[in-house]
């Protein structure tokens, strides 16, 4: 039996410890965490390393598995306690269709979403960064835009070329619909032959990514969270007109 001198609220510490353990387990298992003690309840999803699709990558590769991310996004959209989603990106790319599937899910979410590119958001990481309602990039981060490529045996027949063209068109359409860059400018970045020694494409630093309209804002974690809080609070307050982020620049979003 507990001592009579034991305070009545002594059960709070074990509860807090259990919550911290649950969050640590969530980070270890899925690379994500839901913060419940902040001003607003937001879910932080990290997309790092290589996007793993239909084929399992070697165990030494740092990967983000799309079969883990997709159920998380569905749960976040359906959970009434979660008010917004923060996506942290540091990826070299990966499976095109898996990455595009994740990007489509994020783009179709009703809840406020903000993405932040740290380190790099290359290849299929570009549409993933653009999929959020507002996107940020750190000044030191970079993004690589290049045409669709495929590993393994590729048959040299017209059908293969047509398949590549259609897949590339899907990416171009998604990026231009979810950012401020034009189709012409994005294709020009994609087909640039004067920058990469062994490849076709363009590497953009943080400032250049914002200048081209690919990313909305230059900033770090503080600015990204402030933007997400503003999106959460804006339409929810009574007797106050709905407002958008002051630096949004008329970005077209679904």
């Amino acid at each position: 039996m507990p001592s009579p001198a034991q305070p009545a609220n002594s059960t709070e510490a074990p509860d807090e410890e259990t919550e911290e353990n649950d969050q640590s387990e969530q980070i270890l298992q899925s690379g994500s965490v839901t913060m419940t003690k902040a001003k607003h309840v937001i879910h932080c999803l990290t997309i790092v390393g290589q996007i793993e699709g239909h084929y399992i990558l070697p165990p030494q590769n740092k990967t983000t598995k799309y079969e883990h991310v997709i159920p998380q996004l569905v749960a976040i959209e359906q959970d009434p306690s979660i008010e917004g989603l923060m996506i942290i990106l540091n990826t070299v790319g990966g499976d095109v269709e898996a990455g595009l599937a994740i990007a489509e899910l994020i783009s179709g979410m009703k809840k406020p979403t903000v993405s932040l590119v740290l380190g790099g958001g290359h290849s299929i990481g570009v549409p993933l960064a653009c999929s959020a309602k507002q996107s940020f990039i750190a000044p030191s981060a970079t993004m690589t835009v290049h045409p669709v490529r495929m590993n393994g045996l590729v048959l040299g027949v017209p059908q293969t070329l047509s398949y590549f063209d259609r897949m590339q068109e899907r990416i171009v359409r998604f990026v231009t619909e979810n950012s401020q860059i034009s189709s012409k400018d994005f294709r020009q970045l994609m087909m640039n032959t004067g920058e990469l020694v062994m490849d076709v494409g363009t590497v953009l630093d943080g400032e250049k990514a914002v200048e081209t309209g690919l990313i909305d804002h230059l900033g770090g974690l503080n600015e990204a969270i402030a933007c997400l809080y503003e999106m959460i609070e804006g339409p929810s307050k009574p007797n106050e007109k709905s407002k958008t982020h002051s630096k949004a620049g008329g970005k077209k979003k679904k």
Side-chain angles (χ1 to χ4, degrees), residues 118-207:
L118 300 171
H122 308 298
S123 191
I124 198 62
V126 174
L128 282 167
C130 298
S131 63
K133 291 179 173 61
Q134 293 294 325
S135 56
F136 285 78
I137 186 170
S140 61
T142 58
M143 304 184 78
T144 303
V145 181
H146 63 72
V148 173
R149 294 178 301 217
M150 186 171 291
N151 295 326
L153 179 63
V154 178
L155 298 178
V157 295
Q159 290 87 341
T160 301
L161 180 60
S162 177
Y163 173 75
F164 272 71
D165 285 341
R166 291 199 305 270
M167 182 177 289
Q168 193 161 289
E169 184 58 34
R170 287 158 57 195
I171 294 173
V172 172
R173 184 169 62 248
F174 181 88
V175 170
T176 54
E177 287 178 353
N178 290 274
S179 71
Q180 298 179 48
I181 195 169
S182 67
S183 175
K184 179 182 177 182
D185 290 343
F186 187 68
R187 290 178 190 277
Q188 186 174 354
L189 293 175
M190 186 182 289
M191 298 300 180
N192 183 16
T193 58
E195 185 161 336
L196 300 177
V197 176
M198 300 294 291
D199 201 355
V200 177
T202 305
V203 178
L204 303 170
D205 60 19
E207 187 174 348

